[in-house]
Amino acid sequence: MPSFNFILTTIIMCGLVTFISRVAPFVLLKRFQLPAKVVDLLSFVPIVIMSALWFESLFHQNLGHLPSLDYPNLLASLPTVISAILTKSLVIIVIVGIASLALIQLLALN
């Protein structure tokens, strides 16, 4: 069984690493100016993250089989994507996505 000191040291070091990894970019970017091409490339990061989360929720991985579609999430994605195209507002997109998935799950229970 690990000692209390080992566990405490591990928790403190994990907190320190997390803190440094979140603060260091702000400190470095205050002193240095990024090239315009790098800033343009970084503007795609939120889109890529959201797309990865979206695609991950659309498929279920079954070992030894091809991924299968999650039909409720696919159906909820349709109004969400339409609201994204029309409004480009993250708040509205999230509200439409949550409401449409809740409605689909409510209808599936009946």
Side-chain angles (χ1 to χ4, degrees):
M1 175 183 262
S3 69
F4 175 77
N5 290 336
F6 175 76
I7 293 172
L8 183 63
T9 304
T10 303
I11 291 172
I12 290 171
M13 294 305 285
C14 288
L16 186 63
V17 167
T18 302
F19 178 75
I20 290 172
S21 68
R22 291 178 187 225
V23 171
F26 293 111
V27 172
L28 291 175
L29 290 176
K30 240 182 176 179
R31 296 179 184 219
F32 302 108
Q33 186 69 24
L34 292 175
K37 288 189 178 192
V38 174
V39 173
D40 287 341
L41 286 174
L42 289 176
S43 70
F44 290 107
V45 170
I47 297 168
V48 171
I49 291 172
M50 290 303 294
S51 298
L53 291 171
W54 179 47
F55 281 115
E56 188 269 334
S57 70
L58 286 181
F59 297 102
H60 289 289
Q61 178 64 36
N62 301 317
L63 292 177
H65 301 285
L66 291 173
S68 60
L69 274 172
D70 185 352
Y71 290 104
N73 283 349
L74 180 64
L75 288 174
S77 295
L78 297 176
T80 306
V81 169
I82 291 170
S83 70
I85 292 170
L86 295 177
T87 66
K88 295 178 179 61
S89 169
L90 185 59
V91 173
I92 293 175
I93 294 167
V94 170
I95 290 171
V96 169
I98 291 172
S100 60
L101 186 59
L103 181 64
I104 289 169
Q105 289 179 348
L106 183 67
L107 292 174
L109 290 176
N110 293 333

